[in-house]
Amino acid sequence: MRLARPEEAAALAALVERAYAPYVPVIGIRPLPMEDDYPARIAAGQAWVLEEDGGILGLLVLEDAADHLWLDNIAVEPARHGAGIGRRLMDFVFAEAIRRNKPEVRLLTNEKMARNIGIYRRLGFTEYGRREKLGRRAVLMRRPVA
């Protein structure tokens, strides 16, 4: 894992397009990570990549909050699903929360992304609310890192 580089912004956006494209017909609108500003995320030191043999296999967008680490986005190269990349990314998120002295990780996902909700629950996340965000229904989830 390493911080993304400025010249990789277009590659990150393309990875997110591939990773989230299957959800567009499910939720009826583009997921918010598809609309994100990756040059700004990189400049802010919030975009992380998992690289192997010169290719980007996964992406994380992490934001510091006062009492938690916010996982704004996680994306895995679709051709590599099932290879443990998502788990490696999540392990990094939890380790990074500990490194930053954050007691928990929080995230949101669309309520129609049932598969993702199930994955997060299996990783120990619990739901703590729902809200509408820019025309999308979000499930808010959190997990202690202790």
Side-chain angles (χ1 to χ4, degrees):
M1 291 294 304
R2 63 168 174 77
L3 285 167
R5 299 178 188 120
E7 65 273 12
E8 295 172 321
L12 299 187
L15 168 60
V16 169
E17 285 289 325
R18 291 189 301 278
Y20 284 86
Y23 292 113
V24 174
V26 172
I27 65 175
I29 192 169
R30 287 169 57 85
L32 288 174
M34 295 174 90
E35 306 297 333
D36 209 348
D37 182 345
Y38 291 98
R41 292 294 195 170
I42 292 168
Q46 297 174 334
W48 294 81
V49 296
L50 177 61
E51 182 182 42
E52 185 176 282
D53 298 326
I56 296 173
L57 304 181
L59 158 73
L60 294 170
V61 175
L62 302 175
E63 298 175 11
D64 273 315
D67 61 349
H68 64 276
L69 183 62
W70 180 258
L71 173 56
D72 192 71
N73 184 8
I74 180 170
V76 173
E77 179 59 54
R80 298 293 302 268
H81 280 181
I85 294 164
R87 182 62 192 189
R88 287 171 60 190
L89 292 171
M90 290 305 296
D91 287 347
F92 177 83
V93 171
F94 300 134
E96 191 65 9
I98 291 167
R99 188 186 74 76
R100 297 182 192 194
N101 201 30
K102 304 296 182 183
E104 70 180 13
V105 173
R106 296 184 190 175
L107 58 83
L108 66 76
T109 191
N110 191 287
E111 70 180 6
K112 293 181 180 178
M113 293 181 176
R115 179 179 172 273
N116 290 359
I117 293 169
I119 290 169
Y120 294 132
R121 284 189 176 135
R122 285 190 297 281
L123 290 171
F125 283 85
T126 57
E127 181 178 332
Y128 70 95
R130 293 188 181 224
R131 69 175 177 171
E132 186 164 324
K133 183 175 180 182
L134 300 173
R136 298 151 178 91
R137 293 283 304 154
V139 177
L140 300 156
M141 304 184 86
R142 65 179 160 209
R143 182 197 144 174
V145 294

